[in-house]
């Protein structure tokens, strides 16, 4: 059994003359990321590994979570920046089977589309720092696509 957490980066800033890839978190994002991480930790969520887009806002969000979970196992994956559902699938299928619980940090619209492809729940939009959890009935990430997926939860910072 595996667990997948899809997490959209926290709220970011839009500074002038800064490329999209380098956009930092704004003050709300800096508050919401550790708040959401602590909420999940208090629920008893375990995360063995963090996989993130290398874009500044996603990586910074990931680092807040890693700090709260006292786990620095962070892997940056280019494909998670402007990712399609097939990109997410490829990244997941290449995870080490030693990883039981993984958190993936990425961006809209891709992360919302991918979350919806895994469930019949109607997740219209993943707001910033939202988390969607799934239980995956497999021992091998390579079998992810054809494995049964159970929707666990969908939380947003405004709800907690």
């Amino acid at each position: 059994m595996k667990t997948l957490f899809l997490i959209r980066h926290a709220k970011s800033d839009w500074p002038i003359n800064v490329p999209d890839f380098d956009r930092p978190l704004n003050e709300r994002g800096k508050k919401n990321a550790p708040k959401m991480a602590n909420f999940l930790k208090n629920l008893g969520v375990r995360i063995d590994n963090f996989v993130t887009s290398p874009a500044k806002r996603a990586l910074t969000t990931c680092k807040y979570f890693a700090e709260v979970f006292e786990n620095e196992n962070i892997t940056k994956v280019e494909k998670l920046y402007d990712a399609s559902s097939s990109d997410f699938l490829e990244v997941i299928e290449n995870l080490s089977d030693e990883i039981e619980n993984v958190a993936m940090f990425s961006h809209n619209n891709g992360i919302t589309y991918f979350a919806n492809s895994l469930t019949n729940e109607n997740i219209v939009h993943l707001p910033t720092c939202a988390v969607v959890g799934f239980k995956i009935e497999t021992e091998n990430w390579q079998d992810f696509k054809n494995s049964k997926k159970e929707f666990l939860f969908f939380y947003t910072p405004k709800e907690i």
Side-chain angles (χ1 to χ4, degrees):
M1 201 67 64
K2 306 285 188 190
T3 312
L4 171 68
F5 304 101
L6 298 175
I7 305 166
R8 184 175 172 205
H9 65 78
K11 189 74 173 165
S12 58
D13 205 354
W14 293 84
I16 298 171
N17 296 326
V18 173
D20 182 72
F21 190 87
D22 297 324
R23 288 176 33 223
L25 296 183
N26 68 14
E27 289 308 309
R28 187 170 92 192
K30 291 174 187 175
K31 290 177 187 170
N32 282 346
K35 174 184 167 184
M36 184 61 82
N38 277 299
F39 174 76
L40 293 178
K41 188 174 182 181
N42 290 336
L43 283 180
V45 164
R46 289 185 33 241
I47 299 175
D48 305 321
N49 199 280
F50 300 89
V51 180
T52 184
S53 157
K56 186 172 185 173
R57 60 196 181 275
L59 180 58
T60 304
T61 303
C62 178
K63 287 179 177 179
Y64 275 114
F65 275 73
E67 184 176 314
V68 168
F69 279 87
E70 300 173 10
N71 179 342
E72 296 297 321
N73 293 322
I74 297 173
T75 304
K76 294 182 265 186
V77 179
E78 270 307 313
K79 282 186 182 260
L80 292 179
Y81 178 70
D82 197 26
S84 66
S85 289
S86 61
D87 291 330
F88 281 100
L89 191 59
E90 183 180 332
V91 171
I92 291 167
E93 289 177 342
N94 285 300
L95 291 171
S96 166
D97 290 332
E98 294 175 9
I99 299 168
E100 297 294 323
N101 311 290
V102 66
M104 298 186 82
F105 297 79
S106 192
H107 312 264
N108 260 350
N109 291 321
I111 198 164
T112 295
Y113 293 150
F114 184 64
N116 276 295
S117 76
L118 303 179
T119 182
N120 290 328
E121 297 291 320
N122 189 18
I123 303 169
V124 176
H125 170 75
L126 257 74
T128 52
C129 216
V131 180
V132 185
F134 298 93
K135 186 186 299 181
I136 316 301
E137 288 189 20
T138 188
E139 295 304 316
N140 305 299
W141 287 110
Q142 188 175 3
D143 298 331
F144 177 84
K145 183 176 182 179
N146 297 317
S147 298
K148 183 179 177 192
K149 295 148 191 88
E150 178 187 342
F151 173 82
L152 297 174
F153 56 73
F154 171 41
Y155 294 116
T156 68
K158 286 183 180 178
E159 296 174 327
I160 63 168

